[in-house]
Amino acid sequence: MNDAQLKATLKAGKVGKFKVDTGLYFRVTEQQSAFWILRYTINGKRREITLGRYGKPPEGLPLSEAKLKAIQTRASIKEGVDPIAEKKRNKLPHFNTVNDVAKDWLSECERHLKNPQIPARVYRKDISPYIGELAVDKVNSRDILQIIRAINKSGRPSIANDALNYCKQLFNHALKLDLLANNPAAPFTEKDAGGTEKSRDRALSLDEIKTVFEVFESHTDIMTRENYLALVLLLVLGVRKGELIAAKWSEFNFQEMIWALPEERTKTGAKINIPLPDTLKPIFQELMVRANGSEHVFPSRRASKRRKYISDDTLNHALAKMFGQKVDSKKQPLPNILGEHGIEHFVVHDLRRTCRSLLAQNGVPSHVAERCLNHKVKGVEGIYDRYDYLEERRDALSSIAKSIFTLLNKENLLIQRKYF
């Protein structure tokens, strides 16, 4: 059949399949639409596949293009490729760039990791800016080296190790998807990234705590009030940063002064009732006012659909600024304000270690102190000792609060009006 005959057949409204070439048929439907059908046999089975709609390109296929596509498809069939099976296969997502693969990998992380936001944050901040838009099979070892060197240069060796580990996982995922033959991150070790990490032992002395918070109070342009109060709570309660910043008001009972931290938000996966010293009540009163009706104690300061509480980096950035590790709006280095006051560098998590040290200084028994930090007790003791030590922990944390409030400017911690 030639093109004129095809048009005549369609115009006449003849419903059916009409042979045009070897295995190629012109199919007319009852709705007066026309399609190209290819019949073929593979592995002893007779099959047929629709090649496209009849018509002018780009929406349709004219006769000449239909014949060409039929020839190409038959050639693939001769090589043992079933076009119907391949069509089903092509329903899998297409992965063109590293960002495409990362999206799939991070969705897997959400399935099996307790804190999938950690690799997501490292990828978004430190990996994607360098290779995210590259074709996944074009990334080489030099690209990985650039990433870990840039992170090291910024003074974050532990993040360099994390980024390298996540790059290995990401490109192993690409290998599983049959997008690569080799993992470009595989040749590197911790030695190439941030080096072997040493356990931190930084804890602040009482004198340092006094100085640090006095400096915070005199630099509210950098250390905002909400950040200041958050750091006080981390120091007194010894909780993890992530547990505090995601806290909801519904978790608190201010009549009994207990914070019921749910298991899904603890590192250990075990829920815990945290006794709140009475001296902290004014801080929570102020935070409730500042939350302005939000369900979160530390609501996001910018409108965000992704999360309703402050970023994981908010407190880290504020403290880093105080140590001169960030730049101002004009890209000029900030002064090392805390360093100028004789304070050795520390990070937010060191406040948790400081709390543990203060508990020891105040004579709190080790098993009570460990329970205050919601650490898992190892060995037989951890299996059999199920007592919660709630009142003992209340006394222990109250002693910490008393020590801290004695050091700090009470007027800066207290407000007079009662809200609950």
Side-chain angles (χ1 to χ4, degrees):
M1 297 178 73
N2 57 35
D3 200 48
Q5 291 172 318
L6 294 176
K7 290 179 180 177
T9 302
L10 182 57
K11 188 175 181 180
K14 296 179 180 178
V15 177
K17 296 176 183 176
F18 308 90
K19 187 172 182 179
V20 176
D21 199 358
T22 305
L24 181 63
Y25 289 79
F26 183 70
R27 175 172 175 257
V28 180
T29 68
E30 293 180 354
Q31 293 76 30
Q32 298 302 295
S33 296
F35 298 88
W36 296 108
I37 304 296
L38 181 68
R39 288 179 175 174
Y40 65 96
T41 301
I42 189 167
N43 300 324
K45 294 181 180 179
R46 189 171 182 179
R47 315 192 76 175
E48 65 177 43
I49 185 172
T50 301
L51 298 181
R53 180 187 290 270
Y54 169 69
K56 295 180 180 180
E59 293 84 6
L61 284 176
L63 176 60
S64 58
E65 290 189 17
K67 285 184 175 181
L68 177 61
K69 189 168 184 179
I71 291 171
Q72 292 171 338
T73 304
R74 286 200 303 269
S76 296
I77 294 169
K78 194 173 181 180
E79 296 291 329
V81 177
D82 186 342
I84 292 179
E86 288 298 311
K87 192 174 182 180
K88 292 178 180 178
R89 191 184 203 183
N90 289 337
K91 290 181 180 179
L92 291 172
H94 288 283
F95 302 98
N96 298 317
T97 67
V98 176
N99 280 342
D100 294 334
V101 178
K103 184 178 180 181
D104 195 65
W105 167 63
L106 290 171
S107 69
E108 289 294 306
C109 290
E110 289 178 0
R111 254 185 349 105
H112 65 263
L113 290 184
K114 183 175 178 59
N115 295 295
Q117 74 278 5
I118 297 176
R121 183 173 71 247
V122 174
Y123 178 78
R124 185 179 68 253
K125 290 183 57 182
D126 296 298
I127 300 175
S128 180
Y130 292 95
I131 61 174
E133 297 301 323
L134 294 178
V136 65
D137 59 346
K138 298 300 181 184
V139 178
N140 57 44
S141 294
R142 292 191 303 275
D143 296 314
I144 306 301
L145 186 60
Q146 181 187 20
I147 291 169
I148 57 181
R149 282 183 174 176
I151 300 172
N152 262 328
K153 191 175 181 181
S154 68
R156 298 174 296 150
S158 63
I159 301 299
N161 286 339
D162 291 342
L164 175 59
N165 183 37
Y166 296 144
C167 280
K168 289 183 177 182
Q169 293 180 33
L170 170 62
F171 288 104
N172 276 339
H173 190 70
L175 285 171
K176 294 176 185 177
L177 295 171
D178 199 28
L179 301 173
L180 290 175
N182 298 291
N183 187 330
F188 300 100
T189 65
E190 282 188 352
K191 183 179 178 181
D192 302 300
T196 302
E197 296 181 39
K198 297 179 180 178
S199 298
R200 291 186 61 82
D201 58 3
R202 178 77 168 102
L204 280 69
S205 66
L206 290 174
D207 287 340
E208 285 181 308
I209 293 171
K210 186 177 190 316
T211 300
V212 164
F213 281 91
E214 285 177 349
V215 173
F216 288 168
E217 291 166 16
S218 59
H219 291 83
T220 54
D221 56 326
I222 299 177
M223 185 59 65
T224 65
R225 180 66 176 169
E226 290 89 345
N227 291 347
Y228 177 96
L229 295 177
L231 294 177
V232 172
L233 292 176
L234 289 175
L235 181 59
V236 172
L237 298 177
V239 294
R240 297 174 178 88
K241 179 190 68 176
E243 296 168 346
L244 178 67
I245 65 174
K248 295 182 178 180
W249 290 112
S250 59
E251 298 169 1
F252 292 84
N253 181 335
F254 290 109
Q255 291 185 335
E256 297 183 13
M257 290 302 285
I258 287 178
W259 172 15
L261 185 58
E263 60 186 30
E264 63 269 17
R265 293 207 304 102
T266 66
K267 183 177 180 180
T268 59
K271 63 181 181 180
I272 184 172
N273 288 330
I274 300 172
L276 302 173
D278 289 334
T279 46
L280 293 183
K281 184 174 283 191
I283 290 180
F284 284 105
Q285 289 174 335
E286 180 176 350
L287 287 171
M288 184 171 284
V289 175
R290 290 180 175 275
N292 193 30
S294 170
E295 64 177 329
H296 287 93
V297 179
F298 294 95
S300 176
R301 296 161 198 174
R302 297 178 182 177
S304 173
K305 294 182 180 179
R306 188 173 66 89
R307 61 191 285 166
K308 296 182 180 180
Y309 54 92
I310 62 174
S311 165
D312 297 307
D313 296 324
T314 298
L315 298 179
N316 303 44
H317 281 187
L319 188 56
K321 285 182 178 180
M322 298 297 295
F323 278 110
Q325 295 181 339
K326 298 292 178 180
V327 295
D328 61 19
S329 58
K330 297 180 181 179
K331 304 297 182 182
Q332 296 300 310
L334 291 168
N336 184 355
I337 300 171
L338 285 173
E340 292 170 359
H341 286 79
I343 301 299
E344 179 186 343
H345 182 262
F346 67 91
V347 297
V348 172
H349 193 71
D350 292 332
L351 297 178
R352 180 170 161 87
R353 187 177 299 101
T354 299
C355 175
R356 179 65 178 85
S357 297
L358 292 175
L359 289 170
Q361 289 178 28
N362 288 357
V364 176
S366 178
H367 61 282
V368 175
E370 288 299 290
R371 185 62 183 151
C372 284
L373 271 65
N374 199 20
H375 277 162
K376 281 188 175 180
V377 180
K378 298 179 181 179
V380 175
E381 183 180 359
I383 296 173
Y384 290 101
D385 189 353
R386 298 298 183 182
Y387 181 55
D388 197 39
Y389 299 100
L390 180 65
E391 293 309 316
E392 291 87 343
R393 287 187 289 122
R394 187 184 299 279
D395 292 341
L397 295 179
S398 294
S399 71
I400 297 294
K402 183 178 179 181
S403 300
I404 300 303
F405 273 60
T406 300
L407 289 174
L408 305 188
N409 180 357
K410 291 184 180 180
E411 297 301 319
N412 202 37
L413 288 172
L414 305 178
I415 59 174
Q416 301 301 317
R417 186 177 176 184
K418 294 184 178 180
Y419 293 90
F420 44 80

